[in-house]
Amino acid sequence: MLISSFNRWQRQLRVGQKISLGYGLALGVAVLGTTSGILLANYHQDQAREQQEDALVEYELINRLEIEALQVRVYRQELITLLSQPKQLQQEYAHFLRHYQNFKEVWHEFRNTEGATKEEEEKELPGEVETISKFLKTYEGVPEAYIQQMDALLQRLNISELKPENVETVRSQLIEFEKSPVIFKMNDFCEDLLEIIEMTNQEYELAEATMKAADTLRSQIIAGSMLVSVALAIFLVISTSRAIARPIQTLTQVAQRSVQESNFDLQAPVNTQDEVGILAVSFNQLICAVKHLLQQQQEVNKQLESYSLTLEEKVEARTQELREKNNYLKQLLDELHRTQTQMIQSEKMSALGQMVAGVAHEINNPINFIYANLSYVEQYTQDLLKLVQHYQQYYPNPPQALQEELKAVELEYLAEDLIKILQSMKVGTDRICEIVLSLRNFSRLDEAEFKAVNIHEGIDSTLMILQHRLKANVQRPEIKVIKEYGQLPLVECYPGQLNQVFMNLLANAIDALEESNQGRSFAQIASDPNIIHISTIKADNQVIISIADNGLGIPQAIHSKLFDPFFTTKPVGKGTGLGLSISYQIVTEKHHGRLYCNTTPGQGTKFVIEIPIRQFSHDAAA
């Protein structure tokens, strides 16, 4: 009666209510069972852990008492042998006082807690409480008497201020104290204490075994409660699923038969008032509607067959036309990108070359004037100094006023320092001339045509231009440039464009090193310095130029996009994404060579340029 009433009540529920009821009961049973198991297991584990901690505290306390008593005895006996060695005596005496003080503190703690057994008798080993109580009763007053006599002896001897004439007196008193009855009782005290230490050690091992058993029991309780909870939950879920699934399965079978047999006269039974019952009514209505629509569709299909043939032909023709237009637009877009990168590179090289050449020209004119006149100034200065020396030889005793003037101007120092100043000016003008020559070599406006050049001059000129970025600053030490140049012949190339490739690759290497320095201190960078390694070799009929850094490397995900136009990983405003693309075009198209990258994330990046020594089709490349 009760079951039938429950079934009638269940048939009136909606699907959502059935699901909520079933899964709510399953979840409640699972949570309640698992939580109960965990609480019970935690209770047993906490009891075992508390027993283990108490045993460890007791063992450590008694073990400390034994160690400190033995240390006091050892250092006390060593004092007798070291009385005639003041330096070692003071060191050992300090150790003795420290252990003696520790012994007193540990003894008071042991005596007050009765070996950590107060209020914990039920957790101790059988007989342990009686053994400790008997020990305390046997040696009642012995440590106190020992401490009292020791304090009196130390106060009387005053070893920290021992004088040589008192050494023998102190030694005899220490030896006499070693023969006192309290010392023998303390020796027995230490030996009996070992028995208690052994018992506490057994207690700690028993506590560890209890803790392991509690862990095992905890795992078993949790696993058992979870299995029972899951079994009950699965039973409730299956029961709920069957109550929902049976009407749906009946409806599904009718639907499959109507489709497979094309029998649209079938009707699904309606046994519930929930969504499934409503769905069955709607399905019956749908079958009737489908039957009517199929009849209409057969008539329409006959009309569509005649139109489909002509429509396919029109679609195919239109598709072919669109495909051809897309290919044409793609070619135009590629050509536009190529032209754009060429124009940007040309304008950039032209502007850079004009600026560098202009700067070199403006600096070169005045520096040539200075450099040309330095030799005359040096010669005139030498002549004037010789003239002054001759005057001093023929007039060794000039008038007093002239002597004071010579002393005021410090003639000897002036003659010596003037020569050094002229030499420094000459070194400085030589340096400026080298910089101007490097600027002209880099721009090579006078070498825009295809010609044979020294590759090493172009690399060195580029390094000169980037010198301000390579030198040390407040954030990092100097970036080291290691050059391993091979014996290269003159190489036919476009010098200005090839210098632009060197500029792009070296600037990128510096950027990569500065990025790898983020978050590192000056000392850390100095211990693992930034390095750019440049090497050149001749292989068969081509030269290979490698530019490598020890930065962070390039992620493998973007390795294939490095030479794409406008692709960059630098922040907005710092990179345009054209440097490597233009460099790739210059090397591959202008010089019929190769430009590729080898990188290892976290270790660095190396770009390799391979170009022929002789170009046989440079006119076509231009």
Side-chain angles (χ1 to χ4, degrees):
M1 184 67 180
L2 183 61
I3 297 176
S4 61
S5 299
F6 177 76
N7 289 334
R8 286 197 302 271
W9 173 74
Q10 186 183 40
R11 284 197 294 270
Q12 295 176 358
L13 294 177
R14 298 292 184 183
V15 173
Q17 294 173 335
K18 293 178 181 178
I19 294 174
S20 299
L21 177 62
Y23 284 96
L25 290 174
L27 182 61
V29 169
V31 172
L32 181 61
T34 304
T35 303
S36 301
I38 291 175
L39 291 176
L40 180 60
N42 287 341
Y43 172 76
H44 287 286
Q45 189 180 41
D46 290 340
Q47 292 292 322
R49 183 181 293 108
E50 184 178 354
Q51 181 181 355
Q52 184 184 29
E53 291 175 355
D54 292 341
L56 180 60
V57 170
E58 181 177 346
Y59 175 76
E60 289 180 348
L61 176 61
I62 299 174
N63 194 46
R64 283 170 53 206
L65 180 61
E66 172 70 13
I67 291 173
E68 296 300 336
L70 292 176
Q71 289 289 348
V72 169
R73 183 172 66 182
V74 170
Y75 280 107
R76 189 183 65 242
Q77 294 173 352
E78 287 186 358
L79 292 178
I80 298 174
T81 61
L82 296 175
L83 287 174
S84 58
Q85 303 177 25
K87 186 175 181 180
Q88 296 183 10
L89 175 64
Q90 296 303 324
Q91 294 178 355
E92 296 299 318
Y93 183 60
H95 292 314
F96 167 75
L97 291 178
R98 187 179 74 251
H99 288 291
Y100 178 55
Q101 184 62 30
N102 291 341
F103 168 75
K104 291 193 292 184
E105 293 175 356
V106 176
W107 166 246
H108 288 305
E109 182 179 354
F110 177 80
R111 183 185 61 189
N112 294 334
T113 60
E114 295 185 4
T117 61
K118 282 187 175 181
E119 300 179 359
E120 299 175 1
E121 289 80 359
E122 70 280 358
K123 301 177 183 178
E124 306 294 340
L125 287 175
E128 181 180 354
V129 176
E130 292 78 4
T131 301
I132 294 178
S133 298
K134 180 180 179 182
F135 174 81
L136 291 174
K137 186 175 180 181
T138 301
Y139 294 99
E140 182 176 2
V142 172
E144 287 80 0
Y146 172 72
I147 291 172
Q148 183 178 4
Q149 295 182 23
M150 180 66 72
D151 288 341
L153 177 67
L154 294 178
Q155 185 175 5
R156 185 172 65 253
L157 297 181
N158 195 13
I159 297 178
S160 60
E161 298 178 0
L162 181 64
K163 297 180 180 180
E165 59 270 16
N166 298 330
V167 169
E168 293 303 325
T169 302
V170 171
R171 179 180 285 113
S172 62
Q173 291 181 3
L174 287 174
I175 294 174
E176 182 180 355
F177 181 74
E178 290 292 329
K179 298 177 181 179
S180 63
V182 72
I183 293 298
F184 293 106
K185 291 182 179 180
M186 282 302 297
N187 292 337
D188 296 337
F189 173 88
C190 294
E191 292 177 0
D192 291 345
L193 196 60
L194 290 174
E195 180 182 355
I196 300 177
I197 292 176
E198 181 64 27
M199 293 186 67
T200 56
N201 186 33
Q202 294 176 3
E203 180 184 356
Y204 179 72
E205 292 176 353
L206 178 61
E208 279 190 334
T210 305
M211 185 65 185
K212 292 180 180 178
D215 288 339
T216 304
L217 179 60
R218 181 178 184 273
S219 301
Q220 293 173 350
I221 292 175
I222 293 175
S225 62
M226 291 180 66
L227 288 175
V228 172
S229 301
V230 170
L232 291 175
I234 291 174
F235 173 75
L236 291 173
V237 169
I238 292 174
S239 300
T240 304
S241 300
R242 285 182 177 178
I244 298 172
R246 283 177 181 175
I248 297 177
Q249 290 174 351
T250 303
L251 179 61
T252 302
Q253 291 173 358
V254 174
Q256 289 177 342
R257 285 186 58 194
S258 64
V259 174
Q260 295 172 357
E261 300 173 5
S262 298
N263 184 2
F264 297 100
D265 294 327
L266 296 174
Q267 293 290 302
V270 181
N271 297 323
T272 61
Q273 299 177 7
D274 57 7
E275 288 87 343
V276 178
I278 297 173
L279 180 62
V281 173
S282 301
F283 177 74
N284 293 334
Q285 296 174 354
L286 179 62
I287 288 179
C288 295
V290 169
K291 181 178 179 181
H292 179 67
L293 289 174
L294 286 175
Q295 294 173 354
Q296 294 180 350
Q297 185 181 11
Q298 290 176 356
E299 297 176 0
V300 174
N301 286 340
K302 294 179 181 179
Q303 297 177 1
L304 291 176
E305 287 179 357
S306 59
Y307 293 110
S308 62
L309 296 175
T310 57
L311 182 61
E312 290 179 358
E313 295 176 356
K314 292 180 180 179
V315 170
E316 182 64 27
R318 183 60 177 169
T319 302
Q320 182 64 27
E321 182 181 353
L322 290 175
R323 188 180 295 112
E324 293 176 356
K325 288 184 178 180
N326 286 337
N327 291 334
Y328 177 70
L329 290 175
K330 184 178 180 181
Q331 293 176 359
L332 287 180
L333 184 61
D334 292 341
E335 185 64 26
L336 177 62
H337 279 167
R338 183 185 299 274
T339 304
Q340 187 178 19
T341 54
Q342 289 177 347
M343 290 177 63
I344 291 173
Q345 191 269 340
S346 299
E347 290 295 328
K348 185 175 180 180
M349 285 301 298
S350 176
L352 180 63
Q354 291 176 4
M355 181 191 70
V356 171
V359 171
H361 178 72
E362 292 299 327
I363 295 175
N364 197 43
N365 287 338
I367 200 62
N368 282 340
F369 174 77
I370 296 172
Y371 186 78
N373 288 298
L374 272 179
S375 60
Y376 297 108
V377 172
E378 184 178 10
Q379 182 62 42
Y380 296 160
T381 302
Q382 294 286 353
D383 293 342
L384 288 174
L385 292 175
K386 288 180 181 179
L387 180 61
V388 171
Q389 291 175 356
H390 283 112
Y391 267 105
Q392 289 178 335
Q393 290 177 359
Y394 287 102
Y395 297 98
N397 298 313
Q400 184 65 30
L402 183 56
Q403 290 181 5
E404 292 178 356
E405 185 66 24
L406 291 174
K407 184 177 181 181
V409 299
E410 298 180 358
L411 181 61
E412 294 181 359
Y413 173 76
L414 185 147
E416 180 181 352
D417 194 53
L418 185 59
I419 299 301
K420 294 180 180 179
I421 291 173
L422 289 172
Q423 292 175 350
S424 299
M425 293 173 64
K426 186 174 181 181
V427 170
T429 53
D430 289 338
R431 177 62 176 162
I432 295 174
C433 290
E434 292 177 0
I435 294 174
V436 170
L437 180 60
S438 297
L439 291 173
R440 295 188 62 186
N441 287 338
F442 177 78
S443 63
R444 291 190 179 272
L445 291 178
D446 55 342
E447 299 178 8
E449 296 300 326
F450 201 86
K451 62 181 300 182
V453 297
N454 186 342
I455 293 294
H456 295 158
E457 289 183 358
I459 298 175
D460 292 338
S461 299
T462 307
L463 289 173
M464 180 70 71
I465 300 298
L466 294 172
Q467 187 62 38
H468 68 287
R469 296 193 62 190
L470 296 171
K471 63 183 181 181
N473 54 41
V474 294
Q475 284 83 21
R476 59 161 176 79
E478 177 187 10
I479 297 177
K480 296 182 180 180
V481 178
I482 300 176
K483 296 188 288 187
E484 294 185 2
Y485 290 165
Q487 295 293 331
L488 301 184
L490 297 180
V491 179
E492 291 183 350
C493 63
Y494 292 97
Q497 295 184 14
L498 202 57
N499 285 347
Q500 178 66 13
V501 175
F502 297 151
M503 172 67 77
N504 287 333
L505 298 183
L506 288 170
N508 284 346
I510 296 173
D511 291 340
L513 292 174
E514 291 180 345
E515 181 181 356
S516 68
N517 292 335
Q518 298 296 322
R520 300 172 65 199
S521 63
F522 192 97
Q524 290 174 333
I525 301 173
S527 62
D528 184 14
N530 299 147
I531 297 175
I532 296 178
H533 187 276
I534 306 173
S535 64
T536 61
I537 59 172
K538 176 180 178 294
D540 297 332
N541 294 323
Q542 62 180 2
V543 294
I544 302 175
I545 304 128
S546 300
I547 299 176
D549 64 74
N550 62 340
L552 297 177
I554 300 174
Q556 193 65 32
I558 65 172
H559 192 272
S560 60
K561 302 178 182 179
L562 288 178
F563 301 110
D564 292 349
F566 306 106
F567 175 78
T568 180
T569 59
K570 297 178 181 178
V572 176
K574 188 173 182 181
T576 62
L578 291 174
L580 289 179
S581 175
I582 292 172
S583 299
Y584 185 82
Q585 182 181 355
I586 291 173
V587 173
T588 58
E589 297 183 8
K590 296 291 186 179
H591 295 87
H592 303 93
R594 294 178 62 207
L595 173 60
Y596 55 92
C597 171
N598 294 326
T599 180
T600 301
Q603 297 184 11
T605 304
K606 179 170 73 173
F607 283 90
V608 181
I609 304 170
E610 298 179 359
I611 57 174
I613 298 174
R614 297 286 180 269
Q615 296 284 342
F616 299 102
S617 57
H618 60 81
D619 294 335

